[in-house]
Amino acid sequence: MEKVRSILFKVLIITMLLDPTNTVLGVKIYLFFMFVLLSVNHFNYSIIKTLPLFLYYTTIISGSLSLFIQSTDYDPIFFANYFTTGGILLLLPLLNRKYFSYLVQAFIFGCILISLLTIGLFVFFKSTDINLIYGFDFKNTFIVTPRAYMGIPFLMVYHKSVCALLIAVGIVFNRMLNLGFRWYLMFIVIVFILTLYISATRANMLAALVLFVSYIYYFLNKKGYHSLSVIMMMFSSCLVILSVFVLVTFATDNSNSIKYGHVVSIYEYLSENMIYLFFGMGTGSVFYSSGFDAIVPITEVTYFEFVRSFGLIISPLLFFMFFFPLFYAVLKKIKHYKMYFTSYFVFLIVGGTNPLLIGNLGLLILILSYSILVFGRYDKSTDFTF
């Protein structure tokens, strides 16, 4: 039975990455319930393992009370999704050291599959005469469409879970820092970074650059080249800032104006209603955003959304839930995972510009981060194996 349980767990993690919307395979929910039923006796009530579950549902339930007390308009589907999505956090109390290793293995394998599919689609469309004028969306999971930056055309091949590759890059770089340089690991990193660039989103491109620079900095520091590492970091910081300026200023799409419209609309709602400011509009509430010129339940500016939905009193619980692993890692000096937590920090920044934190991918990465706090701090050789 344990063999079945372990296989089920690995397949579940891979499925969560490959089919985040559950519209391609449609088996994610069944795999989840089967694993939970087989794992009931393994539930662990430690504080760190149950903390995300407590913080998440305290926030969602409080937001629901705020919603109904104020009689705010809401989207029933999004309201229900907030409650069902959080169930993923039940996986964390069911993990032990062995399943932590399984989690990392399945996570990396899933990211490799995403990379192969993305690169494969990119090569296919580039090598054929198919003219993508409008692009296409495969079951809200894969998006292929032409884009352009500074007049330079890109073929965007975007998988909904591509941001997971930021964490995967951090995991592999972390292993290289601890165990030494390996060519096969560097090859995997190159494949991941190439996939992030093929996704043709500015946040992913910049994040990949930041992670690569961070690895070089940590590597030089570890080898004792402290002065060189500082010079390298200063030069790289200038390069990153310049890249941000170029990509944002010379963008030919309207994503900047859309995000700006979201922020302005949220600011207007909160500034005109003090109840919204302090208690939020409520879980799953809808509002008019000038960014989309429509009534919407959620936008891309995630951290502003936290405040809009849950207010200044409740939303800090969500901020604490996501940023706690970073504070804890620094406080407890978990040095052997500094490259991982660098990638997690970068992921949180990217997550602030995409609606992915409160969702399948964001909570799965949260589970991975909290697992490192529980298991990783005790053993620097804890498996980041493939």
Side-chain angles (χ1 to χ4, degrees):
M1 187 60 71
E2 179 60 26
K3 184 70 173 178
V4 173
R5 180 170 168 260
S6 63
I7 294 174
L8 198 61
F9 178 72
K10 293 176 183 178
V11 173
L12 171 61
I13 300 302
I14 295 170
T15 303
M16 288 171 67
L17 289 169
L18 292 180
D19 186 16
T21 58
N22 202 38
T23 55
V24 179
L25 301 174
V27 297
K28 183 172 63 178
I29 295 175
Y30 303 111
L31 292 172
F32 173 78
F33 279 111
M34 288 171 63
F35 176 74
V36 171
L37 287 174
L38 292 175
S39 307
V40 172
N41 295 333
H42 299 269
F43 197 90
N44 186 301
Y45 294 93
S46 68
I47 294 177
I48 292 183
K49 283 187 174 184
T50 53
L51 181 63
L53 204 59
F54 170 77
L55 292 173
Y56 180 84
Y57 277 107
T58 298
T59 302
I60 301 307
I61 292 172
S62 299
S64 300
L65 292 175
S66 177
L67 177 80
F68 293 122
I69 290 174
Q70 298 179 71
S71 298
T72 309
D73 291 334
Y74 69 101
D75 186 312
I77 295 177
F78 273 85
F79 178 80
N81 283 346
Y82 272 105
F83 283 90
T84 55
T85 299
I88 296 171
L89 295 172
L90 282 171
L91 294 178
L92 182 56
L94 299 176
L95 299 183
N96 54 28
R97 186 175 295 277
K98 182 168 64 174
Y99 274 78
F100 169 55
S101 179
Y102 293 160
L103 172 61
V104 177
Q105 293 171 21
F107 187 87
I108 292 295
F109 185 71
C111 288
I112 290 174
L113 291 179
I114 290 172
S115 297
L116 294 177
L117 288 170
T118 302
I119 295 172
L121 277 175
F122 181 83
V123 171
F124 171 76
F125 282 104
K126 279 293 187 180
S127 60
T128 59
D129 295 327
I130 298 176
N131 188 13
L132 283 174
I133 300 176
Y134 301 106
F136 76 92
D137 185 339
F138 179 68
K139 295 190 175 182
N140 200 31
T141 300
F142 254 117
I143 300 172
V144 183
T145 187
R147 296 189 75 174
Y149 292 121
M150 299 175 60
I152 302 173
F154 281 83
L155 177 62
M156 173 183 176
V157 183
Y158 182 89
H159 188 278
K160 287 284 187 178
S161 295
V162 70
C163 287
L165 271 63
L166 297 173
I167 298 296
V169 168
I171 290 174
V172 179
F173 271 153
N174 199 91
R175 183 171 177 82
M176 290 171 64
L177 282 177
N178 289 336
L179 302 181
F181 184 88
R182 300 288 190 278
W183 280 110
Y184 79 95
L185 292 178
M186 180 55 74
F187 176 75
I188 292 174
V189 167
I190 292 172
V191 170
F192 288 159
I193 291 178
L194 177 61
T195 305
L196 287 166
Y197 273 85
I198 290 175
S199 73
T201 56
R202 284 164 294 183
N204 286 341
M205 292 177 177
L206 291 170
L209 177 61
V210 169
L211 290 178
F212 185 75
V213 167
S214 299
Y215 169 73
I216 295 175
Y217 171 76
Y218 288 135
F219 177 79
L220 292 174
N221 241 338
K222 185 175 181 180
K223 295 297 182 180
Y225 303 114
H226 303 296
S227 299
L228 182 59
S229 67
V230 172
I231 295 173
M232 175 66 186
M233 182 55 68
M234 292 175 63
F235 172 77
S236 300
S237 298
C238 294
L239 178 63
V240 170
I241 293 171
L242 179 63
S243 300
V244 171
F245 175 78
V246 170
L247 287 174
V248 172
T249 305
F250 297 97
T252 55
D253 58 15
N254 60 350
S255 61
N256 290 335
S257 59
I258 290 175
K259 289 183 175 67
Y260 177 75
H262 295 329
V263 173
V264 169
S265 296
I266 291 173
Y267 173 78
E268 290 175 350
Y269 271 88
L270 298 182
S271 61
E272 292 173 3
N273 190 319
M274 289 295 103
I275 294 179
Y276 287 167
L277 178 62
F278 288 103
F279 297 98
M281 298 179 70
T283 304
S285 57
V286 297
F287 75 110
Y288 170 79
S289 172
S290 60
F292 287 146
D293 190 24
I295 303 295
V296 294
I298 193 170
T299 65
E300 297 171 315
V301 287
T302 303
Y303 298 123
F304 290 96
E305 278 291 330
F306 285 176
V307 179
R308 180 192 71 80
S309 297
F310 306 109
L312 292 177
I313 294 178
I314 305 171
S315 64
L317 295 179
L318 282 183
F319 283 100
F320 181 75
M321 180 181 77
F322 282 105
F323 284 90
F324 174 76
L326 295 175
F327 298 137
Y328 190 88
V330 172
L331 196 63
K332 297 296 182 179
K333 299 179 180 179
I334 308 179
K335 298 179 181 179
H336 299 292
Y337 294 90
K338 56 189 175 185
M339 191 62 222
Y340 171 82
F341 284 110
T342 299
S343 69
Y344 180 64
F345 176 68
V346 169
F347 173 79
L348 290 180
I349 294 176
V350 173
T353 62
N354 292 277
L356 54 81
L357 292 185
I358 302 296
N360 181 88
L361 180 61
L363 296 184
L364 176 60
I365 290 172
L366 191 73
I367 290 170
L368 181 58
S369 301
Y370 274 81
S371 298
I372 291 176
L373 300 185
V374 176
F375 305 113
R377 61 171 295 206
Y378 302 114
D379 182 5
K380 69 178 182 180
S381 65
T382 298
D383 281 8
F384 270 165
T385 54
F386 311 121

